[in-house]
Amino acid sequence: MMGVNSLSFNHTGDRVISGSDDTCICMTDIVEGKTILTHRTGHFSNIFQTKYVPNVENEMVSAARDGSVRHYHISSGDRVTERELTKHSGATHKLCVNNRNEVLSAGEDGCVAQTDMRTDKSNVIVEQDKALYSIDTDYNNYIILSGVCGLGKWAVLMKNMAKI
């Protein structure tokens, strides 16, 4: 059995998406106690992070050791459409989804990528020579990062980017 590395609730709290070492994501209905979907992703190494897109039942994203950030859309009949949004040059440990359109990802390459899911355009908004292991945002002005940051073990940065 492979290890589960990530769990994330949907916005209503009745479903959980998980990501694991076997490169599968699973969607579970926690009220019914049953697995709704198991999908072998296009990742070729351990999934480190899974997140639902806010306020959208059938969309989620994942980040993995292979450096890629992937988007999933589940349509009726549990058909999964999957695409790569961006790729870091090392493992991508964590990501956060700002809104229905924006994903921020942090990687061992020391970069934070900002990706617009509507266009799949990705920009590097933070670049340093040390690995980044975690990321979060307050949705407005700040990004918080952890890893081997130049300012210590973690840093808070102002977003210097256009709104998506």
Side-chain angles (χ1 to χ4, degrees), residues 20 31 56 59 94-95 98 103 106-107 112 146:
S20 59
V31 175
V56 182
E59 291 189 34
K94 300 292 180 199
L95 52 81
N98 260 4
V103 176
V112 172
S146 73

Side-chain angles (χ1 to χ4, degrees), residues 56-116:
V56 182
E57 279 298 312
N58 59 347
E59 291 189 34
M60 62 254 354
V61 293
S62 64
R65 180 182 297 282
D66 63 13
S68 68
V69 175
R70 303 187 77 80
H71 174 264
Y72 310 92
H73 175 83
I74 301 168
S75 56
S76 60
D78 294 336
R79 185 173 159 267
V80 180
T81 304
E82 177 179 347
R83 71 186 201 272
E84 184 176 88
L85 294 175
T86 193
K87 188 165 178 85
H88 289 259
S89 62
T92 305
H93 287 277
K94 300 292 180 199
L95 52 81
C96 60
V97 186
N98 260 4
N99 53 48
R100 295 176 98 168
N101 304 317
E102 180 185 66
V103 176
L104 299 174
S105 56
E108 282 186 7
D109 58 2
C111 294
V112 172
Q114 174 194 36
T115 305
D116 185 331

Side-chain angles (χ1 to χ4, degrees), residues 135-153:
I135 186 167
D136 203 3
T137 180
D138 71 348
Y139 304 106
N140 295 312
N141 299 310
Y142 296 96
I143 300 170
I144 188 167
L145 301 168
S146 73
V148 189
C149 300
L151 300 173
K153 294 183 181 182

Side-chain angles (χ1 to χ4, degrees), residues 1-130:
M1 179 174 201
M2 300 299 251
V4 172
N5 299 319
S6 178
L7 297 167
S8 180
F9 278 105
N10 66 349
H11 72 282
T12 58
D14 61 343
R15 292 185 177 179
V16 170
I17 188 85
S18 63
S20 59
D21 291 341
D22 65 0
T23 71
C24 286
I25 58 170
C26 292
M27 183 187 300
T28 303
D29 182 321
I30 61 171
V31 175
E32 298 290 325
K34 64 180 184 179
T35 300
I36 299 168
L37 173 78
T38 299
H39 173 70
R40 182 162 306 279
T41 68
H43 290 297
F44 60 85
S45 193
N46 318 56
I47 296 174
F48 290 143
Q49 182 84 71
T50 52
K51 291 281 186 184
Y52 276 96
V53 174
N55 301 313
V56 182
E57 279 298 312
N58 59 347
E59 291 189 34
M60 62 254 354
V61 293
S62 64
R65 180 182 297 282
D66 63 13
S68 68
V69 175
R70 303 187 77 80
H71 174 264
Y72 310 92
H73 175 83
I74 301 168
S75 56
S76 60
D78 294 336
R79 185 173 159 267
V80 180
T81 304
E82 177 179 347
R83 71 186 201 272
E84 184 176 88
L85 294 175
T86 193
K87 188 165 178 85
H88 289 259
S89 62
T92 305
H93 287 277
K94 300 292 180 199
L95 52 81
C96 60
V97 186
N98 260 4
N99 53 48
R100 295 176 98 168
N101 304 317
E102 180 185 66
V103 176
L104 299 174
S105 56
E108 282 186 7
D109 58 2
C111 294
V112 172
Q114 174 194 36
T115 305
D116 185 331
M117 290 190 288
R118 297 169 298 187
T119 63
D120 292 348
K121 289 185 181 174
S122 188
N123 300 312
V124 173
I125 60 170
V126 173
E127 196 169 8
Q128 63 166 27
D129 60 355
K130 310 261 190 222

